[in-house]
Amino acid sequence: MNKLKNAKEFLVTPDLAPEYLPEEMSRLGYRVTEERPSISKSRLFDTFDWRLLGSGLLLARGRDGYQLYGADDGREFGRAPGKGGGHKFSHDFPAGPLREALTPVIAMRALLPLLDLRARSRCWEIRNRDDKLVLRCRWRQLEVRRVAWRSDPHPRPAKGGAAPEPLHTLVLEPVTGYRKPEREALATLEPLNLSPVSRLAAHLYRHVGFDLEAGKKTVPQLGPDWPAAKAALEILRHQYRVMRLNEAGIIADLDSEFLHDFRVALRRSRAAMSRIKKVLPASAKHFRSQLADLARRSNRLRDLDVYLLQREEYRQMLPACLQEGLEPIFSVLAEERGREFKKLARWMKGAEYRRIMAKWGQFLASYEPWQAEDGVAVPANALAPVLPLAEEAIAAACLRLLEHGRAIGPDSPDEALHALRLDCKKLRYLFEFFATLFPSEEITPLINRTKKLQDNLGAFNDFFVQQEALRHFLAALGRGGTKHAAGLAAAAAAIGGLITRLSREQGRVRRDFAKTFKAFEGCGNRKKFCPEE
Amino acid sequence: MAKTIALYSIKGGVGKTAATVNLAHAAAVAGHATLICDLDPQGAASYYFRVRPARKFGRKKLLQGGKEVEKNIKGTDYELLDILPAAFSYRKLDLSLGDTDSRKALKEIFRRLTGDYDYIFLDCPPNITLVSENIFRAADYVVVPCIPTTLSTLTLTKLLDFFAAEKLDRRKIIPFFSMVETRKRLHREVMGELAGASEYRFLQNPIPYLAEIERMGLTRAPVAAGFAGSPAARAYRELWNELARLITVG
């Protein structure tokens, strides 16, 4: 990529002579010299959901190791040595500017090798009468090839194996303080009607057949007058696609986020089936229990993933002298995770899972109640317009949340808050499904209030669940015999320390509840969606 | 925040501009965004980089600071290295600075630029004037080339006295030996005497007297741009490494 700020890059056709622009500049009176041509090879990396590209970053590995660039201006953020693989997560890189810039962007996601780039470049220096460099122009031929590897989680491109045509670009690299030569070069190029490439990397990825939109978590846009069944199907099909998209990454165990996204889509599918009532036929009922079973099979693995991801956070909660006590706990958790993963992966590769998904997919593709012949019964709400149904469902869920929430006082039992969390979740799902039916300025403030409330209740629940898990672990330690008495004491002390911290945090969150709920209750837009007489 | 390094000498002809150009180039090659401010109305540093100032740029624009300065910065032929060229009207810079509140005027101007660069090198005019006093306040370090002769030592002592009298931080002053000819007995003697003297804090790496450095006026390029392995290029690189270490340690 370019290393100069303000460089402009244009896509050109293969028939444009590389020397065209330098010759024109020479005609304008500049001294033009060609530098030695260069060839560079690099491999580009990104996460499955394109986090680097989304943040305007680019990670390339070339002859000199890894380099992290700005995708637009080619500004370098950092380098790290490294020839072969082994740099999957940000913590695999040595501490330094590269890792610092990378970590907040990719978080727990793995870096996947995506494409190999071979750039052949010819470069001309344009100099003025003082023989001062005032502009560089570069002609580049880019050969790109998708990296082929066994566990690649991306869908295979439709086109087949043929290598894509090379791309050609023209780059103008201005020198600070010398604007005229650049203006003249741009004027020369103007009749050619070139298209500037602002984000070459995205262009290259698409060129080799990657779908940059596939992993997008946005919900589908619904039409207010759609039949409810059509809206429900649109939502369910989207979730189905997300689930299928993440399968390969789960089975290859690339990072924990594949399973997480898979499970979110799974939960949304189940929620859509139960929240949008009477739109699917009775024959679709068994899918609900099959999806529930699918969720159950991955519950423990996800729990373990979360604990392991929080390893550092847990360590930080403890004073240094207690931190070592956590290590045996985490190694036990990691071992269990290994077993749970194998179990799930084996099942997902098996016939039963594939059959369930195939049948579910077939149903979603073929269910068309609006095409039903006369005399064939369709579910009561299937053909009703979706907007009034959505309004009604949101108002009802909102009302329930208000009633239950108002009943909660400082002395209410924890269970009341757990129940309220579920009410809150139901409302959130409705927002997720139906938000596109309402003007954004009306629904977004309400969604944000609900989200804050759900965050509060969710944190309360998380702290509770984590303490439960630790108590279980403590009990299991006690039963495990006294082989490692010293390790046992350290582990117990660490667990005790953690439970203390977590319960204090839980208390803090509990105290925030009243304020958060009041903000939700008093939100002006809430009254619009859920008027109480 | 950029570190500001002034190259300064009361005496002319001691290799000051050559040091500015080559140290700044070494800093840029090491990966640091670097700016040279050519404050010497002779404009030798600008000449070495083949850069001319815009016709409308001069001392008044310099003292306006901000955008007026930024838009006159020019890229050199080398990556990461920019230059603010000198204008001939800088010879009257003292007049413009001539009111009492002006001892920190330049400091303000450079402060605006420090976000964009890692190092800012100031190539200063010789003599002790209001301009140099401004520079002493603006710079984090004042690097002083000294030819190892008795007279040079005298001017260095004068500079240290001036700092003391004006209550400036004497620790800013970092001298190094310039245009050293090891075949000369006097050079050897003076260096032997001063190298270890704690009141001067001379840098360990000297810059020898080399024809290659003199030829910069013809090549109009930093010595390392021609052949990075040449003795002159190596000498400046080592001097820069030592200076950079000193700056990072603080």
Side-chain angles (χ1 to χ4, degrees), chain A residues 148-165:
Chain A
W149 53 299
R150 204 165 54 93
S151 313
D152 186 358
H154 297 92
R156 302 272 159 228
K159 271 191 268 175
E165 292 293 309

Side-chain angles (χ1 to χ4, degrees), chain A residues 437-471:
Chain A
L437 293 171
F438 303 97
S440 167
E441 67 276 15
E442 276 180 26
I443 199 156
T444 309
L446 182 56
I447 293 181
N448 291 341
R449 289 287 179 209
T450 316
K451 194 165 177 289
K452 287 227 173 78
L453 181 59
Q454 196 188 5
D455 286 347
N456 174 271
L457 293 164
F460 181 74
N461 184 61
D462 282 351
F463 288 129
F464 174 79
V465 171
Q466 289 178 46
Q467 290 174 67
E468 277 296 88
L470 286 166
R471 271 193 286 272

Side-chain angles (χ1 to χ4, degrees), chain A residues 413-433:
Chain A
D414 287 1
E415 286 71 27
L417 280 116
H418 295 316
L420 195 67
R421 185 177 68 91
L422 300 181
D423 290 332
C424 201
K425 252 174 104 168
K426 284 175 187 164
L427 182 59
R428 270 301 298 284
Y429 280 124
L430 291 173
F431 286 149
E432 260 158 29
F433 301 148

Side-chain angles (χ1 to χ4, degrees), chain A residues 281 283 367-380 382-383:
Chain A
S283 61
Y367 178 53
E368 289 183 318
W370 48 91
Q371 302 270 358
E373 287 164 35
D374 292 344
V376 177
V378 293
L383 302 181

Side-chain angles (χ1 to χ4, degrees), chain A residues 23-279:
Chain A
E23 281 172 9
E24 289 299 307
M25 292 305 280
S26 168
R27 223 182 303 262
L28 287 168
Y30 289 98
R31 240 196 89 218
V32 177
T33 48
E34 182 167 5
E35 289 183 276
R36 259 202 307 199
S38 67
I39 291 182
S40 73
K41 287 181 188 174
S42 55
R43 172 168 284 191
L44 302 189
F45 296 80
D46 207 332
T47 64
F48 187 61
D49 50 359
W50 309 101
R51 287 189 186 193
L52 291 180
L53 198 61
S55 307
L57 291 172
L58 205 60
L59 181 70
R61 191 178 72 207
R63 219 181 38 192
D64 308 325
Y66 290 91
Q67 270 175 288
L68 188 68
Y69 298 106
D72 293 330
D73 56 6
R75 194 160 78 88
E76 189 184 297
F77 284 88
R79 294 165 180 254
K83 280 245 152 61
H87 291 81
K88 208 173 130 188
F89 295 104
S90 63
H91 57 75
D92 294 328
F93 289 90
L98 186 144
R99 186 163 118 182
E100 254 167 59
L102 201 60
T103 307
V105 176
I106 71 168
M108 75 301 276
R109 292 235 77 161
L111 292 164
L112 313 175
L114 297 171
L115 66 80
D116 285 324
L117 170 67
R118 186 173 171 276
R120 211 158 65 84
S121 163
R122 288 178 68 184
C123 180
W124 288 266
E125 291 186 344
I126 317 286
R127 293 174 173 273
N128 66 10
R129 66 199 152 105
D130 292 330
D131 210 21
K132 166 78 184 76
L133 179 77
V134 291
L135 180 72
R136 265 197 194 90
C137 79
R138 207 180 278 277
W139 175 89
R140 306 208 299 160
Q141 184 181 50
L142 307 168
E143 286 168 33
V144 281
R145 205 179 281 265
R146 218 171 133 146
V147 179
W149 53 299
R150 204 165 54 93
S151 313
D152 186 358
H154 297 92
R156 302 272 159 228
K159 271 191 268 175
E165 292 293 309
L167 292 169
H168 298 87
T169 68
L170 200 61
V171 189
L172 294 183
E173 298 174 357
V175 176
T176 311
Y178 297 90
R179 266 165 270 164
K180 191 172 158 225
E182 187 197 8
R183 271 204 306 273
E184 285 174 334
L186 287 171
T188 309
L189 295 175
E190 210 190 328
L192 303 180
N193 232 340
L194 304 177
S195 42
V197 272
S198 62
R199 216 158 248 203
L200 184 67
H203 199 84
L204 298 179
Y205 286 138
R206 285 200 196 91
H207 192 64
V208 296
F210 285 113
D211 180 357
L212 303 184
E213 311 298 317
K216 282 267 164 69
K217 285 165 190 171
T218 48
V219 283
Q221 169 77 47
L222 309 177
D225 49 357
W226 284 12
K230 185 178 171 188
L233 280 172
E234 189 74 14
I235 294 162
L236 289 169
R237 282 178 193 150
H238 177 75
Q239 303 306 338
Y240 180 77
R241 277 194 298 272
V242 174
M243 286 170 71
R244 304 245 63 167
L245 194 65
N246 282 288
E247 282 170 351
I250 298 174
I251 292 169
D253 203 15
L254 296 173
D255 65 40
S256 59
E257 214 54 11
F258 287 97
L259 178 63
H260 177 58
D261 288 347
F262 178 88
R263 283 167 53 84
V264 169
L266 185 57
R267 269 203 303 274
R268 285 187 180 157
S269 306
R270 292 170 60 206
M273 279 194 267
S274 56
R275 293 296 107 214
I276 314 175
K277 294 182 199 311
K278 297 178 193 157
V279 294

Side-chain angles (χ1 to χ4, degrees), chain A residues 267-384:
Chain A
R267 269 203 303 274
R268 285 187 180 157
S269 306
R270 292 170 60 206
M273 279 194 267
S274 56
R275 293 296 107 214
I276 314 175
K277 294 182 199 311
K278 297 178 193 157
V279 294
L280 299 187
S283 61
K285 233 182 182 156
H286 68 285
F287 289 123
R288 259 175 80 176
S289 58
Q290 280 171 340
L291 293 184
D293 174 60
L294 198 49
R296 250 192 315 278
R297 284 176 187 273
S298 58
N299 279 345
R300 184 63 187 156
L301 181 56
R302 175 61 193 163
D303 285 349
L304 290 163
D305 277 343
V306 172
Y307 294 141
L308 291 168
L309 286 171
Q310 285 176 333
R311 187 187 194 126
E312 203 37 52
E313 211 176 305
Y314 280 135
R315 280 182 69 95
Q316 296 306 322
M317 279 189 199
L318 292 174
C321 63
L322 291 183
Q323 287 177 358
E324 280 315 296
L326 284 178
E327 291 313 310
I329 303 177
F330 277 110
S331 58
V332 170
L333 290 174
E335 273 170 35
E336 190 191 348
R337 192 210 168 263
R339 289 192 299 274
E340 281 294 323
F341 163 70
K342 274 201 189 115
K343 216 160 65 183
L344 182 71
R346 203 179 306 129
W347 188 73
M348 285 182 70
K349 281 191 270 190
E352 190 187 348
Y353 171 78
R354 284 194 309 207
R355 204 164 44 234
I356 292 170
M357 289 306 275
K359 287 248 168 79
W360 177 224
Q362 277 160 17
F363 167 76
L364 291 176
S366 61
Y367 178 53
E368 289 183 318
W370 48 91
Q371 302 270 358
E373 287 164 35
D374 292 344
V376 177
V378 293
N381 285 340
L383 302 181

